[in-house]
Every structure is written in C-alpha cells, then in structure tokens.
Amino acid sequence: MQDLVEKMTAALPSLHFEKYWNGFQEGAFALYDEHDVYLFNHPDCSENPYISFPKDDRFVSCTSIIYADIPTAIVDIRYFDNFEDIYSLIVHESFHAYQNSLSESRFPDEAIGPSFPADSQFIQLRIRERKALHDAVHESPKDTQIQLINEVISLRDERIRLFPAVVDYENRVETIEGPAFYVEYQALRDISNSETALERYAHMLLDAEDSHLHIRKSCYSSGLFLCLLLDQLSSGWQKEFVHSELDLFHFFKSRYSAYTPAAIADSGDKEEAERIVSSIQHQKTEAFQAFDAQPGIRLTLTGSMQVAGFDPMNLVIWDKQALHKHFLKIRIDSAEYFIKGLVLTEFNKDFRKINTLSVFREHPPVETDNVLHIEGIGQIGGNIDSADDKSVSISLQ
C-alpha cells in the first residue's frame, strides 16, 4: 500500500481530469484496503498530500461516497494489480462524483437488471447490435459506417419496442456508466501510453455470453462505444450531454442526422442465444445452491426490513429471492446494519422491501432481554422462535 500511496502522491501535481471530459475537474478520492484508508485532495488533508485512518463500513467496493460533506471517489486496491488500473478507476469513480455535483437524475431502476428476461430473441438482437456498434467505431469508410450506425439504431429501437422496461434500464445504465467508462479508458490510455487500451473494452462489448450473464456491466462498454462514436460525429457533445434530459442512446440518435431505418433480418444467432439462456439459468441455480451449501448455522430473520445499500454488480434475483454476493446494508425501523458476505432475502414485489433474510454464521445469536446479539450484524430487537444445531429462526420486534 505504501508504494502505491507514494506513486499517487507523486502524481497529484499532474492530475488534470478536464483533458478527459469538458468541465470535469479532479476532486477528493481515497484508496483503501482491509485495514487502512488513504484520503487525497480532500479539505481534511489541509496542507498534507494525504491523511490516513482505519477503514470502516463507509468504505465498501469501488464507488463514490459523501465523506465529511465532500463527494469522494473510493477505490478498493485489493481488486487491482497495477497503478495504471487503479489510476484509471479513480478517474472513473471521480466522474460519478462529478455527475452528482451536476444533480444527475437519469439513474436506472436497479431492480430490473438482475431480473431481466433470459429471452432468446432479446439476446439475438442484442448480439447483432453490439457487433454493429463495435464495427461502427472502427470503420473508416463513411458509407459503411453510416450503414452500421443505422443498424445499431434500428436494432435498439426494435428492442425498445419488444422489451421496453429492460432496454430503458440498459439506456439508463449506459447514460451513467458509459461516460465514466469513457473517461476511464481515456485515463488508462494516457497513463499507460498504450494505443491498444481499447481492446479490453472491446472484448467486454463482444463477449456474447458474459454480456448477458452480467447485463449491468455489459452496458458500460456499449455506453463507452456510443461516446466514442459521438466523438467522431459531433463536436462539443460532452457539455451538452451532461445538461440533457435524454439518455445516452437517444442523445446520440438526436445528434445523428443521417439516420435511415435498416431492415432487421434473421440474425442466425438462435443456437448461440439458446445456449446463453441455458447458461444464465444454470449460473443462477448454482449461485443459490452455493448459498445453501455454506458451513455454519443458518439464521433466518422474519419481519419488515428495507434495503439501505447494495452492490448491483453482485446481485442475483430469481423468482422472489435476491442473493447479495458481497454485502448488504439493511434498515430496521431507524437502525441500519451492514452485513458482509452472502445474504439471501425474500420479498413480494420489490426486492428492496424484505420479508425474510438469511445468513450463515459460526455461532448462534445470544438473546438478552428481547435483544439478539448476532455475529457480524450487531444488536437487533427480536425473539428466537426455534433453534437447533443447523438453523435458528428469528422474529423481529
């Protein structure tokens, strides 16, 4: 960690994020691991290049948070092997802080992504669209590029007609994450002096199976490529886009005057799409089976609970169950609890309104005067309804 902190301290004088996006300024950011947080560019740093303090539950995943009233990008360095990737992700998460400073409101409904339909037609159209988008960015003959862009727009419009809620979710994820991926790519190319940096993002766009197993993540790369096309087709688009009410796709479509609808023929991807549908179903089944196979005592809490924080990139929804793979923050009445590790919840309509919650723990809860002391969660008001060596059922007060 200390070597990384020294590299970042040395890089501070040369941080100029506006070269990646018109009006984008560098702000506060933090690097952290399992023990310590190192905070940079924040008013709390005073005259120092950084300050450090012990990690707490505010620092989870790689995201943008409000720390001491200041929007702050945070990066968990345990996910990365080199300074270049960490630097580019700081730029990515800092862009989210920049979006928040502009009162960005075009956010997706995160309940839709994990429960999108594993539909063969949806997947076939989407594979074709993503391939055409990739080729349009790389195609130099003007006529060929126009034909490809027409195909992208026509395929997206057809998917909007057939699957409006799901494609609206995609459009909104692209709107938020596409520009952040765009500045991340610009930063990676800048810091690594690499002309091949785009290849890793192109792979994410074209990998048909991964892009449907991880629908939210896949929208990052399609959003990036829409931004790259806008660079080619429309000067000054960045400043206009951040103040627009349109999502990224419809903003792109509004700036593309040469659009002519393209015919949508049979793609011939049916066999691949059906294989992906089976793979999606198999991976969801495996995820829930892995939860049930954990060692320890299964604790099941029943009562009214609200989701207060979650990681949409690591959420699996199946029927009326939601599996949170890394963590979940819940609210019971006015109290909040942070739960690390695998958490399974059940709900009726909205996964954010929990009926039951299950976790595995090494030790059973300890009950004292209608208060339960639960390992890894804290003190919760409730009663133990039943208990044996393998399970404990709890009713919340």
Short mmCIF file of all heavy atoms in Angstrom, two decimals, residues 233-287:
data_model
loop_
_atom_site.label_atom_id
_atom_site.label_comp_id
_atom_site.label_asym_id
_atom_site.label_seq_id
_atom_site.Cartn_x
_atom_site.Cartn_y
_atom_site.Cartn_z
N LEU A 233 -18.62 12.05 -34.53
CA LEU A 233 -19.73 12.62 -35.28
C LEU A 233 -20.18 14.00 -34.84
O LEU A 233 -20.84 14.70 -35.60
CB LEU A 233 -20.94 11.67 -35.20
CG LEU A 233 -20.71 10.24 -35.71
CD1 LEU A 233 -21.93 9.39 -35.41
CD2 LEU A 233 -20.41 10.25 -37.20
N SER A 234 -19.85 14.40 -33.59
CA SER A 234 -20.47 15.60 -33.04
C SER A 234 -19.52 16.33 -32.10
O SER A 234 -19.25 15.86 -31.00
CB SER A 234 -21.76 15.22 -32.30
OG SER A 234 -22.39 16.35 -31.75
N SER A 235 -19.02 17.47 -32.51
CA SER A 235 -18.14 18.25 -31.65
C SER A 235 -18.95 18.95 -30.56
O SER A 235 -20.11 19.32 -30.77
CB SER A 235 -17.37 19.29 -32.48
OG SER A 235 -18.27 20.20 -33.08
N GLY A 236 -18.34 19.10 -29.38
CA GLY A 236 -18.99 19.81 -28.29
C GLY A 236 -20.12 19.04 -27.62
O GLY A 236 -20.90 19.63 -26.85
N TRP A 237 -20.18 17.74 -27.87
CA TRP A 237 -21.32 16.97 -27.35
C TRP A 237 -21.27 16.77 -25.84
O TRP A 237 -22.32 16.66 -25.20
CB TRP A 237 -21.40 15.61 -28.05
CG TRP A 237 -20.30 14.64 -27.67
CD1 TRP A 237 -19.08 14.52 -28.25
CD2 TRP A 237 -20.36 13.67 -26.62
NE1 TRP A 237 -18.35 13.53 -27.64
CE2 TRP A 237 -19.12 12.98 -26.64
CE3 TRP A 237 -21.31 13.30 -25.68
CZ2 TRP A 237 -18.82 11.96 -25.74
CZ3 TRP A 237 -21.02 12.28 -24.79
CH2 TRP A 237 -19.79 11.62 -24.83
N GLN A 238 -20.08 16.74 -25.25
CA GLN A 238 -19.95 16.40 -23.83
C GLN A 238 -20.66 17.42 -22.94
O GLN A 238 -21.43 17.05 -22.03
CB GLN A 238 -18.48 16.29 -23.45
CG GLN A 238 -17.76 15.16 -24.14
CD GLN A 238 -16.27 15.15 -23.83
OE1 GLN A 238 -15.76 16.00 -23.11
NE2 GLN A 238 -15.56 14.19 -24.40
N LYS A 239 -20.42 18.69 -23.19
CA LYS A 239 -21.03 19.73 -22.37
C LYS A 239 -22.55 19.72 -22.51
O LYS A 239 -23.28 19.90 -21.52
CB LYS A 239 -20.46 21.09 -22.76
CG LYS A 239 -20.86 22.21 -21.83
CD LYS A 239 -20.12 23.50 -22.17
CE LYS A 239 -20.49 24.62 -21.20
NZ LYS A 239 -19.75 25.88 -21.52
N GLU A 240 -23.04 19.48 -23.72
CA GLU A 240 -24.48 19.44 -23.93
C GLU A 240 -25.09 18.21 -23.28
O GLU A 240 -26.20 18.27 -22.74
CB GLU A 240 -24.78 19.46 -25.43
CG GLU A 240 -24.43 20.77 -26.11
CD GLU A 240 -24.81 20.77 -27.57
OE1 GLU A 240 -25.81 20.12 -27.92
OE2 GLU A 240 -24.09 21.39 -28.37
N PHE A 241 -24.38 17.09 -23.33
CA PHE A 241 -24.95 15.84 -22.81
C PHE A 241 -25.19 15.90 -21.30
O PHE A 241 -26.22 15.43 -20.82
CB PHE A 241 -24.05 14.66 -23.15
CG PHE A 241 -24.50 13.38 -22.51
CD1 PHE A 241 -25.65 12.75 -22.92
CD2 PHE A 241 -23.78 12.83 -21.46
CE1 PHE A 241 -26.09 11.58 -22.32
CE2 PHE A 241 -24.21 11.66 -20.84
CZ PHE A 241 -25.38 11.04 -21.28
N VAL A 242 -24.24 16.44 -20.55
CA VAL A 242 -24.41 16.43 -19.09
C VAL A 242 -25.58 17.29 -18.64
O VAL A 242 -26.09 17.12 -17.53
CB VAL A 242 -23.11 16.86 -18.35
CG1 VAL A 242 -21.99 15.87 -18.58
CG2 VAL A 242 -22.68 18.27 -18.76
N HIS A 243 -26.04 18.19 -19.49
CA HIS A 243 -27.18 19.02 -19.15
C HIS A 243 -28.45 18.58 -19.89
O HIS A 243 -29.48 19.24 -19.80
CB HIS A 243 -26.88 20.49 -19.46
CG HIS A 243 -25.75 21.05 -18.65
ND1 HIS A 243 -25.84 21.27 -17.30
CD2 HIS A 243 -24.49 21.41 -19.01
CE1 HIS A 243 -24.69 21.75 -16.85
NE2 HIS A 243 -23.86 21.85 -17.86
N SER A 244 -28.37 17.47 -20.60
CA SER A 244 -29.52 16.98 -21.35
C SER A 244 -30.42 16.13 -20.45
O SER A 244 -29.98 15.58 -19.44
CB SER A 244 -29.04 16.13 -22.53
OG SER A 244 -30.12 15.48 -23.17
N GLU A 245 -31.69 16.01 -20.83
CA GLU A 245 -32.61 15.10 -20.15
C GLU A 245 -32.69 13.76 -20.87
O GLU A 245 -33.31 12.83 -20.36
CB GLU A 245 -34.01 15.73 -20.06
CG GLU A 245 -34.04 16.98 -19.18
CD GLU A 245 -35.44 17.55 -19.04
OE1 GLU A 245 -36.36 16.99 -19.70
OE2 GLU A 245 -35.61 18.52 -18.29
N LEU A 246 -32.09 13.66 -22.05
CA LEU A 246 -32.12 12.42 -22.83
C LEU A 246 -31.12 11.41 -22.28
O LEU A 246 -30.05 11.79 -21.79
CB LEU A 246 -31.79 12.70 -24.30
CG LEU A 246 -32.76 13.59 -25.08
CD1 LEU A 246 -32.19 13.88 -26.46
CD2 LEU A 246 -34.13 12.94 -25.18
N ASP A 247 -31.44 10.12 -22.38
CA ASP A 247 -30.43 9.11 -22.08
C ASP A 247 -29.40 9.11 -23.20
O ASP A 247 -29.59 9.75 -24.25
CB ASP A 247 -31.07 7.73 -21.88
CG ASP A 247 -31.79 7.21 -23.11
OD1 ASP A 247 -31.18 7.15 -24.19
OD2 ASP A 247 -32.99 6.86 -23.01
N LEU A 248 -28.29 8.42 -22.99
CA LEU A 248 -27.16 8.49 -23.92
C LEU A 248 -27.55 8.02 -25.32
O LEU A 248 -27.17 8.64 -26.32
CB LEU A 248 -25.99 7.65 -23.38
CG LEU A 248 -24.72 7.63 -24.24
CD1 LEU A 248 -24.14 9.03 -24.39
CD2 LEU A 248 -23.68 6.69 -23.61
N PHE A 249 -28.30 6.92 -25.42
CA PHE A 249 -28.68 6.42 -26.75
C PHE A 249 -29.53 7.43 -27.49
O PHE A 249 -29.30 7.73 -28.67
CB PHE A 249 -29.43 5.08 -26.62
CG PHE A 249 -30.11 4.68 -27.90
CD1 PHE A 249 -29.36 4.21 -28.97
CD2 PHE A 249 -31.49 4.80 -28.04
CE1 PHE A 249 -29.99 3.86 -30.18
CE2 PHE A 249 -32.11 4.45 -29.23
CZ PHE A 249 -31.36 3.97 -30.30
N HIS A 250 -30.56 7.98 -26.84
CA HIS A 250 -31.43 8.92 -27.53
C HIS A 250 -30.73 10.26 -27.79
O HIS A 250 -31.05 10.93 -28.78
CB HIS A 250 -32.73 9.11 -26.74
CG HIS A 250 -33.64 7.92 -26.83
ND1 HIS A 250 -33.71 6.95 -25.85
CD2 HIS A 250 -34.49 7.52 -27.82
CE1 HIS A 250 -34.59 6.02 -26.22
NE2 HIS A 250 -35.07 6.34 -27.40
N PHE A 251 -29.79 10.62 -26.93
CA PHE A 251 -28.97 11.80 -27.22
C PHE A 251 -28.14 11.56 -28.48
O PHE A 251 -28.06 12.41 -29.37
CB PHE A 251 -28.06 12.12 -26.04
CG PHE A 251 -27.15 13.30 -26.25
CD1 PHE A 251 -27.60 14.58 -26.00
CD2 PHE A 251 -25.85 13.12 -26.71
CE1 PHE A 251 -26.76 15.68 -26.20
CE2 PHE A 251 -25.01 14.20 -26.92
CZ PHE A 251 -25.47 15.49 -26.66
N PHE A 252 -27.52 10.38 -28.56
CA PHE A 252 -26.74 10.02 -29.75
C PHE A 252 -27.63 10.05 -30.99
O PHE A 252 -27.26 10.62 -32.04
CB PHE A 252 -26.13 8.63 -29.57
CG PHE A 252 -25.53 8.06 -30.83
CD1 PHE A 252 -24.29 8.48 -31.27
CD2 PHE A 252 -26.22 7.11 -31.57
CE1 PHE A 252 -23.73 7.97 -32.43
CE2 PHE A 252 -25.67 6.59 -32.73
CZ PHE A 252 -24.42 7.02 -33.17
N LYS A 253 -28.80 9.45 -30.89
CA LYS A 253 -29.72 9.40 -32.04
C LYS A 253 -30.12 10.81 -32.48
O LYS A 253 -30.23 11.09 -33.68
CB LYS A 253 -30.95 8.58 -31.67
CG LYS A 253 -31.92 8.33 -32.82
CD LYS A 253 -33.07 7.44 -32.36
CE LYS A 253 -34.09 7.25 -33.48
NZ LYS A 253 -35.24 6.40 -33.05
N SER A 254 -30.31 11.71 -31.50
CA SER A 254 -30.71 13.09 -31.83
C SER A 254 -29.60 13.86 -32.53
O SER A 254 -29.88 14.83 -33.25
CB SER A 254 -31.14 13.83 -30.55
OG SER A 254 -30.01 14.16 -29.74
N ARG A 255 -28.35 13.44 -32.30
CA ARG A 255 -27.21 14.14 -32.91
C ARG A 255 -26.78 13.51 -34.24
O ARG A 255 -25.83 13.99 -34.87
CB ARG A 255 -26.01 14.13 -31.94
CG ARG A 255 -26.27 14.78 -30.60
CD ARG A 255 -26.60 16.27 -30.73
NE ARG A 255 -25.46 17.04 -31.17
CZ ARG A 255 -24.62 17.68 -30.35
NH1 ARG A 255 -24.83 17.63 -29.04
NH2 ARG A 255 -23.62 18.36 -30.82
N TYR A 256 -27.47 12.45 -34.64
CA TYR A 256 -27.09 11.72 -35.87
C TYR A 256 -28.15 12.00 -36.94
O TYR A 256 -29.21 11.38 -36.96
CB TYR A 256 -26.97 10.23 -35.57
CG TYR A 256 -26.56 9.41 -36.78
CD1 TYR A 256 -25.31 9.60 -37.37
CD2 TYR A 256 -27.42 8.48 -37.33
CE1 TYR A 256 -24.94 8.86 -38.47
CE2 TYR A 256 -27.06 7.73 -38.43
CZ TYR A 256 -25.81 7.93 -39.00
OH TYR A 256 -25.44 7.20 -40.11
N SER A 257 -27.86 12.93 -37.82
CA SER A 257 -28.85 13.40 -38.79
C SER A 257 -29.01 12.48 -39.99
O SER A 257 -29.99 12.60 -40.74
CB SER A 257 -28.46 14.81 -39.28
OG SER A 257 -27.17 14.78 -39.89
N ALA A 258 -28.09 11.53 -40.17
CA ALA A 258 -28.11 10.69 -41.38
C ALA A 258 -28.91 9.41 -41.20
O ALA A 258 -28.88 8.53 -42.05
CB ALA A 258 -26.67 10.34 -41.79
N TYR A 259 -29.66 9.30 -40.10
CA TYR A 259 -30.32 8.02 -39.81
C TYR A 259 -31.42 7.67 -40.82
O TYR A 259 -32.29 8.49 -41.13
CB TYR A 259 -30.94 8.04 -38.41
CG TYR A 259 -31.75 6.80 -38.10
CD1 TYR A 259 -31.17 5.54 -38.16
CD2 TYR A 259 -33.10 6.90 -37.80
CE1 TYR A 259 -31.90 4.40 -37.89
CE2 TYR A 259 -33.85 5.76 -37.52
CZ TYR A 259 -33.25 4.51 -37.58
OH TYR A 259 -33.98 3.39 -37.33
N THR A 260 -31.33 6.44 -41.31
CA THR A 260 -32.36 5.82 -42.13
C THR A 260 -32.61 4.43 -41.57
O THR A 260 -31.64 3.66 -41.41
CB THR A 260 -31.92 5.70 -43.60
OG1 THR A 260 -31.61 7.00 -44.11
CG2 THR A 260 -33.03 5.06 -44.44
N PRO A 261 -33.85 4.06 -41.24
CA PRO A 261 -34.09 2.74 -40.65
C PRO A 261 -33.55 1.62 -41.52
O PRO A 261 -33.67 1.65 -42.75
CB PRO A 261 -35.62 2.69 -40.55
CG PRO A 261 -36.05 4.11 -40.47
CD PRO A 261 -35.08 4.87 -41.33
N ALA A 262 -32.93 0.65 -40.85
CA ALA A 262 -32.36 -0.51 -41.55
C ALA A 262 -33.27 -1.72 -41.35
O ALA A 262 -33.92 -1.86 -40.31
CB ALA A 262 -30.96 -0.80 -41.01
N ALA A 263 -33.31 -2.58 -42.35
CA ALA A 263 -34.09 -3.80 -42.24
C ALA A 263 -33.49 -4.72 -41.18
O ALA A 263 -32.26 -4.82 -41.06
CB ALA A 263 -34.13 -4.51 -43.59
N ILE A 264 -34.35 -5.39 -40.43
CA ILE A 264 -33.90 -6.31 -39.38
C ILE A 264 -34.22 -7.72 -39.83
O ILE A 264 -35.37 -8.17 -39.76
CB ILE A 264 -34.56 -6.00 -38.03
CG1 ILE A 264 -34.21 -4.56 -37.61
CG2 ILE A 264 -34.13 -7.00 -36.97
CD1 ILE A 264 -34.93 -4.10 -36.36
N ALA A 265 -33.21 -8.41 -40.32
CA ALA A 265 -33.40 -9.76 -40.82
C ALA A 265 -33.04 -10.76 -39.74
O ALA A 265 -32.51 -10.42 -38.68
CB ALA A 265 -32.53 -9.98 -42.06
N ASP A 266 -33.32 -12.03 -39.99
CA ASP A 266 -32.96 -13.11 -39.08
C ASP A 266 -31.44 -13.13 -38.93
O ASP A 266 -30.71 -13.18 -39.91
CB ASP A 266 -33.45 -14.44 -39.62
CG ASP A 266 -33.23 -15.59 -38.65
OD1 ASP A 266 -32.65 -15.36 -37.58
OD2 ASP A 266 -33.64 -16.72 -38.96
N SER A 267 -30.96 -13.08 -37.68
CA SER A 267 -29.52 -12.97 -37.44
C SER A 267 -28.78 -14.28 -37.54
O SER A 267 -27.56 -14.30 -37.69
CB SER A 267 -29.28 -12.37 -36.04
OG SER A 267 -29.73 -13.29 -35.06
N GLY A 268 -29.49 -15.38 -37.39
CA GLY A 268 -28.81 -16.68 -37.40
C GLY A 268 -28.10 -17.02 -36.11
O GLY A 268 -27.32 -17.96 -36.06
N ASP A 269 -28.36 -16.24 -35.03
CA ASP A 269 -27.70 -16.47 -33.74
C ASP A 269 -28.57 -17.25 -32.77
O ASP A 269 -28.31 -17.26 -31.57
CB ASP A 269 -27.33 -15.12 -33.10
CG ASP A 269 -26.27 -14.37 -33.89
OD1 ASP A 269 -25.40 -15.04 -34.45
OD2 ASP A 269 -26.34 -13.13 -33.93
N LYS A 270 -29.61 -17.90 -33.27
CA LYS A 270 -30.58 -18.54 -32.39
C LYS A 270 -29.94 -19.61 -31.51
O LYS A 270 -30.20 -19.69 -30.31
CB LYS A 270 -31.72 -19.15 -33.20
CG LYS A 270 -32.84 -19.73 -32.34
CD LYS A 270 -34.00 -20.22 -33.19
CE LYS A 270 -35.11 -20.76 -32.30
NZ LYS A 270 -36.27 -21.24 -33.10
N GLU A 271 -29.09 -20.45 -32.10
CA GLU A 271 -28.47 -21.53 -31.33
C GLU A 271 -27.58 -20.96 -30.22
O GLU A 271 -27.61 -21.45 -29.08
CB GLU A 271 -27.64 -22.42 -32.25
CG GLU A 271 -27.06 -23.65 -31.56
CD GLU A 271 -26.36 -24.58 -32.53
OE1 GLU A 271 -26.75 -24.61 -33.72
OE2 GLU A 271 -25.41 -25.27 -32.11
N GLU A 272 -26.80 -19.93 -30.53
CA GLU A 272 -25.95 -19.32 -29.51
C GLU A 272 -26.80 -18.67 -28.42
O GLU A 272 -26.50 -18.78 -27.23
CB GLU A 272 -25.02 -18.28 -30.13
CG GLU A 272 -24.08 -17.63 -29.12
CD GLU A 272 -23.15 -16.61 -29.74
OE1 GLU A 272 -23.42 -16.16 -30.87
OE2 GLU A 272 -22.14 -16.27 -29.09
N ALA A 273 -27.88 -18.00 -28.82
CA ALA A 273 -28.75 -17.35 -27.85
C ALA A 273 -29.38 -18.37 -26.90
O ALA A 273 -29.46 -18.13 -25.69
CB ALA A 273 -29.83 -16.55 -28.57
N GLU A 274 -29.82 -19.49 -27.43
CA GLU A 274 -30.43 -20.52 -26.58
C GLU A 274 -29.41 -21.12 -25.62
O GLU A 274 -29.73 -21.46 -24.48
CB GLU A 274 -31.09 -21.58 -27.45
CG GLU A 274 -32.34 -21.06 -28.17
CD GLU A 274 -32.97 -22.09 -29.09
OE1 GLU A 274 -32.32 -23.14 -29.34
OE2 GLU A 274 -34.09 -21.85 -29.56
N ARG A 275 -28.16 -21.24 -26.09
CA ARG A 275 -27.09 -21.72 -25.19
C ARG A 275 -26.87 -20.72 -24.07
O ARG A 275 -26.67 -21.11 -22.90
CB ARG A 275 -25.80 -21.91 -26.00
CG ARG A 275 -24.61 -22.40 -25.15
CD ARG A 275 -23.34 -22.44 -25.97
NE ARG A 275 -22.97 -21.14 -26.49
CZ ARG A 275 -22.38 -20.20 -25.78
NH1 ARG A 275 -22.12 -20.39 -24.49
NH2 ARG A 275 -22.06 -19.04 -26.33
N ILE A 276 -26.91 -19.43 -24.36
CA ILE A 276 -26.73 -18.40 -23.34
C ILE A 276 -27.89 -18.41 -22.35
O ILE A 276 -27.68 -18.26 -21.14
CB ILE A 276 -26.57 -17.01 -24.00
CG1 ILE A 276 -25.24 -16.96 -24.77
CG2 ILE A 276 -26.63 -15.90 -22.97
CD1 ILE A 276 -25.09 -15.74 -25.66
N VAL A 277 -29.11 -18.60 -22.83
CA VAL A 277 -30.27 -18.70 -21.94
C VAL A 277 -30.07 -19.83 -20.94
O VAL A 277 -30.29 -19.67 -19.73
CB VAL A 277 -31.57 -18.93 -22.75
CG1 VAL A 277 -32.71 -19.32 -21.82
CG2 VAL A 277 -31.94 -17.68 -23.54
N SER A 278 -29.61 -21.00 -21.43
CA SER A 278 -29.36 -22.14 -20.54
C SER A 278 -28.26 -21.82 -19.54
O SER A 278 -28.34 -22.19 -18.36
CB SER A 278 -28.97 -23.38 -21.36
OG SER A 278 -30.04 -23.79 -22.18
N SER A 279 -27.22 -21.13 -20.00
CA SER A 279 -26.11 -20.78 -19.13
C SER A 279 -26.56 -19.82 -18.03
O SER A 279 -26.15 -19.95 -16.86
CB SER A 279 -24.98 -20.15 -19.94
OG SER A 279 -23.87 -19.86 -19.13
N ILE A 280 -27.41 -18.85 -18.36
CA ILE A 280 -27.93 -17.91 -17.36
C ILE A 280 -28.71 -18.66 -16.29
O ILE A 280 -28.52 -18.45 -15.08
CB ILE A 280 -28.83 -16.85 -18.03
CG1 ILE A 280 -27.98 -15.92 -18.92
CG2 ILE A 280 -29.59 -16.04 -16.98
CD1 ILE A 280 -28.81 -15.02 -19.81
N GLN A 281 -29.57 -19.55 -16.71
CA GLN A 281 -30.38 -20.32 -15.75
C GLN A 281 -29.50 -21.20 -14.89
O GLN A 281 -29.71 -21.32 -13.67
CB GLN A 281 -31.41 -21.15 -16.52
CG GLN A 281 -32.46 -20.30 -17.22
CD GLN A 281 -33.33 -21.08 -18.19
OE1 GLN A 281 -32.99 -22.19 -18.59
NE2 GLN A 281 -34.47 -20.51 -18.55
N HIS A 282 -28.47 -21.81 -15.50
CA HIS A 282 -27.56 -22.68 -14.76
C HIS A 282 -26.77 -21.89 -13.71
O HIS A 282 -26.63 -22.34 -12.56
CB HIS A 282 -26.60 -23.37 -15.72
CG HIS A 282 -25.58 -24.24 -15.07
ND1 HIS A 282 -25.89 -25.43 -14.43
CD2 HIS A 282 -24.23 -24.07 -14.90
CE1 HIS A 282 -24.80 -25.97 -13.93
NE2 HIS A 282 -23.78 -25.17 -14.20
N GLN A 283 -26.27 -20.72 -14.09
CA GLN A 283 -25.46 -19.94 -13.15
C GLN A 283 -26.30 -19.41 -11.99
O GLN A 283 -25.82 -19.35 -10.86
CB GLN A 283 -24.78 -18.79 -13.89
CG GLN A 283 -23.69 -19.26 -14.84
CD GLN A 283 -22.52 -18.29 -14.91
OE1 GLN A 283 -22.39 -17.38 -14.11
NE2 GLN A 283 -21.65 -18.51 -15.87
N LYS A 284 -27.55 -19.06 -12.25
CA LYS A 284 -28.42 -18.63 -11.15
C LYS A 284 -28.67 -19.79 -10.19
O LYS A 284 -28.62 -19.62 -8.97
CB LYS A 284 -29.73 -18.08 -11.70
CG LYS A 284 -29.61 -16.70 -12.33
CD LYS A 284 -30.97 -16.08 -12.58
CE LYS A 284 -30.83 -14.64 -13.07
NZ LYS A 284 -32.13 -13.94 -13.15
N THR A 285 -28.93 -20.97 -10.76
CA THR A 285 -29.16 -22.14 -9.92
C THR A 285 -27.94 -22.43 -9.06
O THR A 285 -28.05 -22.69 -7.85
CB THR A 285 -29.49 -23.37 -10.79
OG1 THR A 285 -30.66 -23.12 -11.55
CG2 THR A 285 -29.71 -24.61 -9.93
N GLU A 286 -26.75 -22.38 -9.66
CA GLU A 286 -25.51 -22.64 -8.92
C GLU A 286 -25.30 -21.62 -7.81
O GLU A 286 -24.83 -21.97 -6.73
CB GLU A 286 -24.31 -22.62 -9.88
CG GLU A 286 -24.13 -23.89 -10.68
CD GLU A 286 -22.75 -23.96 -11.33
OE1 GLU A 286 -22.19 -22.88 -11.62
OE2 GLU A 286 -22.24 -25.07 -11.50
N ALA A 287 -25.61 -20.35 -8.07
CA ALA A 287 -25.41 -19.30 -7.05
C ALA A 287 -26.26 -19.57 -5.82
O ALA A 287 -25.77 -19.48 -4.68
CB ALA A 287 -25.75 -17.94 -7.65
#
